[in-house]
Amino acid sequence: MVKDNNMGKLHAEKVNVYYGDHHIIKDVNLSIQENTVTAFIGPSGCGKSTFLRLLNRMNDYIENFRKTGDILIDGNDIYDKKVRVEELRKRVGMVFQKPNPFPKTIYENVVYGLRIQGIKDKSKLDKVVEDSLKQVALWNEVKDKLHQSALALSGGQQQRLCIARTIAVEPTIILMDEPASALDPISSAKIEDLISELKEKFTIIIVTHNMQQASRVSDKTAFFYLGELVEYGATDQIFTKPVKELTQNYITGRFG
Amino acid sequence: MKQKFDINRFKDNAFKYFGIACTLFGLAVLSVFLINILIEGLGRLNWQFFTSLPSRKPEKAGILICLLGSIWIMFLTALIAVPLGVASGIFLEEYGKKNKFASFIEINISNLAGVPSIIYGLLALEIFVRILGLGKSLLAGSLTLSLLILPIIIVSTREAIKAVPKSIREASYALGATRWQTIWFQVLPAASGGLLTGVILAISRAVGESAPLIVIGALLYITTIPTSPMDDFAVMPIQIFNWLSRPQKGFIENATAAIIVLLLITFMMNGLAIYLRNRWQKKIKW
């Protein structure tokens, strides 16, 4: 397919997902621009996480998973047979709901993505560790204990380490699946600040249950309900004058 | 106010003491056995006992041949069974699809773990000794015991791998790792404690096994030290069995001393397994 600027960084067209007989995602069309933060909101089970995981093909290993429609990143179909899923995931990083550092040292956590690419140059790895940890504002807290277990860090620090680990691979898109929902308010606020900074370099898509968080961090918001993309637009507009009544009801807390 | 007799409370206490009695019974029998063995055999344990060949005179006989035989068997069995068992466990857990065929294999592996060991001996006698012509060699014995402990290793590998949270695998995949990289760099190191525990327990089972080796014809009386996998051999349990069947008191003493050595080997291996498990649990908290 030829690249079309209107398609943006990421473009989904008529995407449907089935798990066995369950129709999870229904005819979703969506375009996301580069260097923006897009929030996916909606009640539990609405398909927003499933949709997010389509974008780095994390659903591939699920049995009975089936998808129709196209997902293009920079104009290329990421489900094309020629695409190596490992290459895709280097371009499209992911941060999970629960901080999930590897049971290894802080240093090894950050360089893992590079090590598996066969990069051994110590000075390069050292530099990546420092740069990545600085970007997530964790460097000052951990620079003296890089070779201690990452599991000894607090939940908020662990989550920032997971973000550092993701950006160390230099992706262009970062997917975040409720990255702050398992954290205390202060750690949560730090993650939000971080998202606003990372926007300069990355395209960020974040799934969240927290309306305030969505309105604070995102430029665009997509509201999913029962597998359908109900409304998608500028965050200001979605939260102040949504077009659909369903959206209005959800963001004002009448259901969800 | 006078307390009424409470039947439920009585039952509760009664069961508690019954449980204590049951536990103590097992411990008591075991201690009597151990003390008995130690009294009879400890005096026989000296350097000569470890370095002597079998002999018709009990005071000149030693366990050199069968101890070396057991050590050979231990290493050869580990060499054969561990790679096979761990690889099968990894395949079934990480790559195998969850369908009817998979559950059929799964049930059969669990069943194999319960097959009496002498049956493995019969199988091995036909295949390894007769068809493959390996004779009564160390290699034939190790292959036999490998068959015996393979299901145990497969099952414990799967358990250990299953205990590694999905979130670790997802984190690895999300950074662009292949399945194999994820298994090699994340799953196996995280599962290594449980994995090693299972492997060690399986091997310690193999070391104590005698029935299948008797079936394939492991010798009771050999006087040459085994130096290659194709040599004839004897192992500790068979030597113990042999000595116990002799009428002279001296041989009974030898048998108990050999039992102490065999027990020490298995206790040490089980201790190592427990140590590894604890260390692993301490190191990794999800």
Side-chain angles (χ1 to χ4, degrees):
Chain A
M1 202 166 297
V2 188
K3 185 170 172 172
D4 172 351
N5 281 333
N6 293 329
M7 283 180 173
K9 179 78 182 162
L10 186 148
H11 180 75
E13 198 160 308
K14 285 195 168 171
V15 173
N16 285 277
V17 171
Y18 307 84
Y19 287 160
D21 295 334
H22 296 282
H23 197 172
I24 309 282
I25 303 279
K26 296 167 186 163
D27 261 334
V28 170
N29 297 296
L30 187 76
S31 282
I32 288 172
Q33 299 303 318
E34 205 161 2
N35 296 55
T36 57
V37 177
T38 305
F40 289 178
I41 61 169
S44 299
C46 68
K48 57 192 188 308
S49 282
T50 303
F51 189 78
L52 188 78
R53 296 164 74 92
L54 276 179
L55 307 179
N56 67 342
R57 294 183 50 180
M58 251 355 221
N59 297 329
D60 278 18
Y61 297 134
I62 294 173
E63 314 243 333
N64 304 323
F65 162 78
R66 199 155 53 83
K67 162 203 142 290
T68 64
D70 294 318
I71 295 174
L72 311 178
I73 289 178
D74 296 328
N76 302 311
D77 180 2
I78 61 168
Y79 279 85
D80 191 287
K81 284 214 160 55
K82 277 181 243 153
V83 171
R84 280 193 58 215
V85 67
E86 291 81 20
E87 292 300 323
L88 167 72
R89 291 183 185 141
K90 283 172 202 162
R91 314 292 299 147
V92 186
M94 187 169 217
V95 177
F96 297 84
Q97 180 174 3
K98 243 184 93 194
N100 56 354
F102 301 123
K104 296 175 187 287
T105 63
I106 294 169
Y107 187 93
E108 284 303 322
N109 263 277
V110 180
V111 300
Y112 179 69
L114 301 175
R115 283 219 196 277
I116 57 176
Q117 294 177 32
I119 297 168
K120 291 197 180 84
D121 181 0
K122 176 95 167 53
S123 58
K124 176 162 191 213
L125 294 178
D126 287 349
K127 187 171 182 310
V128 169
V129 169
E130 184 170 345
D131 289 350
S132 309
L133 289 173
K134 275 181 176 159
Q135 276 193 73
V136 299
L138 196 59
W139 177 250
N140 286 329
E141 293 163 55
V142 302
K143 64 178 179 223
D144 299 323
K145 46 181 180 180
L146 290 176
H147 296 286
Q148 291 174 24
S149 172
L151 299 177
L153 297 174
S154 74
Q157 289 174 323
Q158 286 188 4
Q159 193 64 304
R160 276 182 284 150
L161 176 64
C162 291
I163 297 174
R165 175 174 77 181
T166 304
I167 61 182
V169 189
E170 298 184 330
T172 57
I173 300 176
I174 299 177
L175 311 173
M176 298 187 172
D177 193 353
E178 300 185 46
S181 68
L183 306 178
D184 64 87
I186 292 169
S187 305
S188 181
K190 282 188 186 164
I191 300 284
E192 283 182 24
D193 291 345
L194 186 55
I195 291 171
S196 312
E197 278 171 37
L198 292 175
K199 188 170 89 170
E200 310 275 317
K201 291 176 74 176
F202 307 98
T203 305
I204 295 172
I205 304 171
I206 174 173
V207 164
T208 179
H209 269 119
N210 182 331
M211 296 302 139
Q212 284 80 29
Q213 188 176 69
S215 66
R216 278 193 300 263
V217 303
S218 69
D219 305 303
K220 292 258 205 138
T221 296
F223 171 56
F224 286 82
Y225 186 66
L226 299 177
E228 286 179 50
L229 178 59
V230 176
E231 190 165 352
Y232 174 50
T235 299
D236 291 344
Q237 175 252 315
I238 295 275
F239 281 93
T240 53
K241 36 185 187 305
V243 177
K244 304 270 174 62
E245 201 188 334
L246 203 56
T247 318
Q248 171 82 32
N249 288 344
Y250 182 70
I251 59 167
T252 53
R254 254 168 253 168
F255 76 98
Chain B
M1 210 172 96
K2 205 180 158 197
Q3 282 255 301
K4 258 173 73 179
F5 177 71
D6 182 341
I7 184 73
N8 283 326
R9 204 190 165 101
F10 171 75
K11 278 186 186 165
D12 195 29
N13 276 326
F15 184 78
K16 189 172 93 186
Y17 291 115
F18 177 69
I20 292 174
C22 289
T23 314
L24 288 180
F25 177 75
L27 283 176
V29 170
L30 189 66
S31 354
V32 167
F33 167 74
L34 280 179
I35 291 166
N36 197 15
I37 295 268
L38 285 176
I39 290 172
E40 268 193 58
L42 216 47
R44 188 68 189 84
L45 278 183
N46 53 30
W47 189 242
Q48 176 270 327
F49 186 65
F50 281 98
T51 54
S52 295
L53 304 175
S55 163
R56 295 217 316 257
K57 296 191 182 105
E59 65 280 3
K60 278 195 177 167
I63 55 169
L64 179 64
I65 300 279
C66 61
L67 185 61
L68 287 176
S70 278
I71 292 171
W72 263 103
I73 285 280
M74 196 159 89
F75 280 104
L76 282 178
T77 306
L79 214 61
I80 299 162
V82 173
L84 279 176
V86 171
S88 316
I90 291 172
F91 173 77
L92 289 172
E93 198 56 39
E94 296 282 326
Y95 289 90
K97 289 237 163 31
K98 309 278 179 283
N99 54 24
K100 281 203 175 136
F101 182 63
S103 50
F104 176 75
I105 292 180
E106 202 164 315
I107 290 168
N108 276 291
I109 288 174
S110 307
N111 281 342
L112 281 179
V115 169
S117 57
I118 198 153
I119 310 283
Y120 284 103
L122 291 172
L123 176 75
L125 179 65
E126 192 55 39
I127 296 178
F128 301 138
V129 179
R130 296 200 179 132
I131 297 179
L132 292 181
L134 296 176
K136 300 167 284 190
S137 63
L138 276 166
L139 185 60
S142 305
L143 284 168
T144 312
L145 292 175
S146 298
L147 278 186
L148 180 77
I149 63 170
L150 204 50
I152 308 175
I153 294 182
I154 294 174
V155 170
S156 61
T157 300
R158 295 188 65 178
E159 293 301 320
I161 288 179
K162 231 182 250 174
V164 179
K166 199 174 136 216
S167 62
I168 294 297
R169 293 179 173 83
E170 289 198 321
S172 176
Y173 291 141
L175 289 166
T178 60
R179 274 194 173 198
W180 175 243
Q181 285 174 327
T182 301
I183 292 168
W184 184 251
F185 292 115
Q186 300 299 340
V187 177
L188 285 183
S192 61
L195 220 148
L196 278 173
T197 308
V199 164
I200 292 170
L201 291 180
I203 292 172
S204 99
R205 157 115 198 252
V207 171
E209 200 56 67
S210 57
L213 296 181
I214 292 176
V215 175
I216 66 162
L219 292 177
L220 297 177
Y221 190 86
I222 57 169
T223 50
T224 48
I225 291 172
T227 52
S228 93
M230 295 316 291
D231 285 351
D232 287 351
F233 69 103
V235 289
M236 297 282 295
I238 295 181
Q239 182 66 69
I240 292 168
F241 173 72
N242 175 25
W243 276 336
L244 281 175
S245 61
R246 305 278 189 94
Q248 298 97 314
K249 183 150 188 326
F251 280 119
I252 306 291
E253 214 176 284
N254 283 356
T256 50
I259 288 172
I260 295 174
V261 176
L262 186 59
L263 277 177
L264 268 179
I265 295 174
T266 43
F267 281 178
M268 261 158 33
M269 292 183 75
N270 291 10
L272 183 65
I274 292 168
Y275 167 75
L276 286 171
R277 187 162 49 204
N278 289 346
R279 212 184 76 143
W280 176 66
Q281 277 169 350
K282 223 176 280 168
K283 209 172 74 180
I284 299 172
K285 287 202 185 78
W286 307 111

